[in-house]
Amino acid sequence: MATDTIAPGPEAPAPLSPARAKIEQKTLRTDRWWLSPLLTLLVLVAFIFYATFRAFEDAYYYADGLISPFYSPCLSTKCVPDSSLGGFTPFGDWAKVSPALLILIFPLGFRMTCYYYRKAYYRAFWQSPPACAVAEPHGKYTGETRFPLILNNAHRYFFYVGLIFNVILTWDGILAFRNAQGEWGHMSLGTLVLLANATLLWLYSLSCHSCRHAIGGRLKHFSKHPLRYKSWTLVSKLNHKHMLFAWISLFGVALADAYVALVSHGTFSNPTFF
Amino acid sequence: MGYKGKFKVWRGDASGGDLNDFEVEVNEGEVVLDVIHRLQATQAPDMACRWNCKAGKCGSCSAEINGKPRLMCMTRMSTFEEGETVTVTPLRTFPVIKDLVTDVGFNYTKAREVKSFTPPADLKPGEYRMQQIDVERSQEFRKCIECYLCQNTCHAVRDHEENKENFAGPRYLMRVAELDMHPLDTADRKKAAQEEHGLGYCNITKCCTEVCPEHIRITDNALIPLKERVVDKKYDPLVWLGSKIRRRSSTDA
Ligand code: SF4
Ligand code: SF4
Ligand code: FES
Ligand code: FES
């Protein structure tokens, strides 16, 4: 039943009629359609509260050579000793705010413009729609056709910056092969925590729809680009699980931060393996 | 093995209507369409419904069952409890003609608005050569049976009649994506997707994908890739610069 074979007919297109079946109920769904948006809402709100608190706290983000992902890279001179990347502090001492606030806009922007999180917040926060075949509460809808939501089209730039962050956070994981005295060749539970966090972030980024597009999706002729076709096939496989990676990498970041905070508070002493 | 099932079926036309209660026999292995047919045969001979294949392939029997847009012929009665009332209504987004039958003309209008396949001018039919991997992406989209469940469920038009004019709906944006990915198509689909077919109205909330009986991953494989292609063309200064320097559209590669 392919319609592409329908040539423009002689008759004018039918006018769009509002004569729909008059059904009062906003939805007739009988399943628990509200559960999933509710859970999404609760988890995201909890994360936002936690991240905001930690970003403003401006303390307990570095301990035993472990740096919290919320504060990495730490770019001002007020960063606690040794926490900056090789002493690189372009913000100097004029940035009075918490060093986390200088960088968090990038990971935040990356997730805010992510195709998966867009679905999640449009549904859970804006209820547009709350679930499929459940009427949305808004009188007007323009989607992503205009400002500000049209800015979501900038996702690929956040993706590229996100790659830089991934490299830095991976490096943080490698630096965690040092002990509290800065000597190499040691490993602790914290090393594993930071490396796991970096791995999850890589999986999240590599499964990104913009990544899938850039790596090969944009081509018309896969046959002319065998390598890119192979990469596209791989990324497509990861992309299938993008939602999963979006969630577990979010938990990963929060847990890695919480781990560093606990160690820094002295609540928990980072067990060393060797 | 049969039992008396409770049903509510919407009956009426454009001037009004309501849910009617029925009790009707349900037998093992039956689908909702069987029950509707039994209603026609035993209790409501003038009840209107559209169907053809009873095999999930013609796309005629689309309706909403317990509020979910589905094919009546592919919805097994065994998915409901015996005591559960099953509610069947017509598609909400299109004008109703009678009972479960709606006028899906909107979709034909939107289909006509998509410029047809445009091969290079110097290539005659019969001379088309392409490789399997170049067309395999679009083959997923060709599974479409035009049931219009996706068009019906998309909130951009379901909840906003006024957007029908500017929005082609997932089925036809998917058609645009298919043509844009076609190795031999030369038309500028990207600008058209955004400016004529209303791709911006889609907020990728995936309801089209959720209801598609052919399990086409409409959002992930057609709509999001199309959005990315539009960004290349309209919003990405780097790609724009690249195409100026290399004097060709880099997406045509
Ligand atoms: S993903 Fe887009 S096209 Fe599909 S139902 Fe949602 S808004 Fe409509
Ligand atoms: S894309 Fe799927 S839901 Fe939409 S008309 Fe085709 S088969 Fe039906
Ligand atoms: S689509 Fe989710 S990170 Fe790009
Ligand atoms: S009757 Fe053909 S799809 Fe249901």
Side-chain angles (χ1 to χ4, degrees):
Chain A
M1 291 208 50
T3 24
D4 51 295
T5 50
I6 297 180
E11 75 276 59
L16 302 168
S17 160
R20 305 180 179 206
K22 291 179 183 61
I23 302 169
E24 296 305 323
Q25 294 88 336
K26 283 203 172 308
T27 184
L28 286 165
R29 281 181 67 163
T30 51
D31 56 338
R32 287 183 294 170
W33 56 263
W34 42 266
L35 188 62
S36 152
L38 182 69
L39 286 179
T40 309
L41 181 88
L42 292 178
V43 174
L44 287 181
V45 166
F47 180 83
I48 292 167
F49 270 108
Y50 177 75
T52 310
F53 166 71
R54 283 290 289 152
F56 280 92
E57 194 181 16
D58 199 1
Y60 307 116
Y61 55 84
Y62 186 77
D64 285 9
L66 306 173
I67 184 165
S68 151
F70 286 164
Y71 284 83
S72 179
C74 205
L75 297 178
S76 57
T77 33
K78 74 190 294 238
C79 295
V80 300
D82 297 331
S83 67
S84 65
L85 256 191
F88 179 63
T89 50
F91 283 96
D93 54 6
W94 54 264
K96 300 285 176 253
V97 294
S98 158
L101 299 178
L102 301 174
I103 53 162
L104 278 187
I105 180 70
F106 296 105
L108 180 73
F110 185 37
R111 292 201 185 236
M112 288 287 286
T113 57
C114 160
Y115 287 96
Y116 170 68
Y117 283 106
R118 272 144 82 182
K119 172 193 168 202
Y121 63 74
Y122 287 140
R123 281 196 186 201
F125 285 71
W126 195 241
Q127 308 217 323
S128 174
C132 303
V134 177
E136 59 178 49
H138 311 286
K140 230 182 125 42
Y141 172 81
T142 52
E144 301 186 330
T145 53
R146 54 174 79 172
F147 185 83
L149 295 180
I150 199 169
L151 293 182
N152 276 332
N153 284 315
H155 181 55
R156 57 180 61 174
Y157 289 104
F158 287 106
F159 163 72
Y160 292 129
V161 178
L163 292 182
I164 302 175
F165 273 73
N166 288 354
V167 171
I168 294 173
L169 294 187
T170 308
W171 181 239
D172 288 340
I174 294 171
L175 288 180
F177 281 102
R178 300 175 306 176
N179 61 11
Q181 287 71 46
E183 293 155 355
W184 284 96
H186 298 277
M187 188 178 176
S188 64
L189 185 57
T191 320
L192 286 183
V193 169
L194 293 193
L195 286 178
N197 177 47
T199 310
L200 292 177
L201 289 173
W202 277 113
L203 287 171
Y204 174 57
S205 297
L206 290 178
S207 62
C208 164
H209 287 274
S210 291
C211 174
R212 187 185 186 210
H213 174 75
I215 208 97
R218 62 202 305 277
L219 300 171
K220 270 197 178 209
H221 293 96
F222 280 153
S223 53
K224 290 189 193 157
H225 305 269
L227 250 173
R228 287 182 72 184
Y229 174 64
K230 250 211 164 82
S231 323
W232 176 83
T233 312
L234 276 173
V235 169
S236 296
K237 281 202 184 109
L238 289 177
N239 178 259
H240 208 83
K241 297 199 169 65
H242 189 58
M243 174 177 113
L244 178 73
F245 295 140
W247 282 116
I248 58 175
S249 65
L250 191 76
F251 294 133
V253 171
L255 289 177
D257 171 78
Y259 187 86
V260 175
L262 287 178
V263 173
S264 167
H265 272 284
T267 326
F268 181 77
S269 74
N270 180 28
T272 45
F273 303 144
F274 49 85
Chain B
M1 291 297 291
Y3 67 95
K4 285 270 182 219
K6 290 198 214 49
F7 284 79
K8 279 184 189 297
V9 182
W10 193 90
R11 300 208 60 192
D13 54 29
S15 62
D18 45 45
L19 290 169
N20 288 219
D21 289 298
F22 293 99
E23 261 201 30
V24 56
E25 189 186 323
V26 177
N27 299 313
E28 197 181 346
E30 286 186 335
V31 293
V32 171
L33 185 62
D34 291 315
V35 175
I36 297 294
H37 283 160
R38 184 163 301 119
L39 278 177
Q40 285 180 324
T42 58
Q43 304 177 36
D46 61 339
M47 180 187 285
C49 86
R50 194 187 271 132
W51 71 287
N52 261 291
C53 68
K54 220 190 140 219
K57 283 293 167 233
C58 73
S60 305
C61 65
S62 303
E64 303 196 2
I65 302 168
N66 279 355
K68 284 192 180 172
R70 317 197 48 157
L71 296 178
M72 287 194 283
C73 72
M74 297 304 280
T75 307
R76 291 180 167 276
M77 285 307 300
S78 59
T79 55
F80 305 106
E81 305 288 326
E82 289 199 3
E84 189 177 348
T85 303
V86 178
T87 308
V88 187
T89 59
L91 301 180
R92 289 213 195 195
T93 307
F94 312 125
V96 65
I97 298 174
K98 182 172 170 355
D99 304 336
L100 300 178
V101 176
T102 53
D103 172 2
V104 295
F106 162 74
N107 303 291
Y108 305 142
T109 305
K110 294 297 162 184
R112 285 192 199 98
E113 286 170 6
V114 179
K115 187 174 182 201
S116 52
F117 173 59
T118 315
D122 54 349
L123 207 61
K124 288 182 202 54
E127 292 177 349
Y128 299 172
R129 295 291 176 271
M130 47 205 143
Q131 302 210 10
Q132 172 58 24
I133 60 168
D134 292 333
V135 287
E136 69 184 3
R137 262 182 302 185
S138 355
Q139 283 176 337
E140 179 188 10
F141 312 149
R142 307 293 296 188
K143 290 193 301 184
C144 173
I145 59 170
E146 314 238 293
C147 64
Y148 304 129
L149 286 173
C150 56
Q151 302 280 92
N152 166 65
T153 314
C154 180
H155 69 116
V157 285
R158 183 183 177 92
D159 297 334
H160 305 279
E161 182 74 26
E162 71 281 5
N163 288 341
K164 278 189 177 171
E165 197 181 327
N166 298 321
F167 183 57
R171 168 63 188 98
Y172 295 103
L173 288 167
M174 175 170 90
R175 173 71 179 145
V176 176
E178 178 192 335
L179 288 165
D180 200 54
M181 292 172 187
H182 195 291
L184 292 181
D185 189 75
T186 56
D188 180 1
R189 309 277 172 188
K190 299 172 184 73
K191 235 172 129 210
Q194 192 76 352
E195 292 169 10
E196 291 163 34
H197 306 297
L199 180 60
Y201 285 92
C202 167
N203 68 353
I204 51 172
T205 36
K206 290 201 177 173
C207 288
C208 46
T209 308
E210 253 179 55
V211 299
C212 178
E214 283 293 310
H215 306 291
I216 304 172
R217 292 175 58 222
I218 307 170
T219 319
D220 283 351
N221 289 347
L223 304 178
I224 293 175
L226 192 57
K227 282 198 178 232
E228 285 291 318
R229 285 161 178 256
V230 168
V231 176
D232 278 351
K233 184 85 182 181
K234 282 182 66 97
Y235 307 114
D236 190 330
L238 290 183
V239 173
W240 176 83
L241 198 72
S243 69
K244 288 285 159 212
I245 295 169
R246 289 149 70 196
R247 313 209 101 245
R248 70 183 164 101
S249 163
S250 41
T251 37
D252 288 347

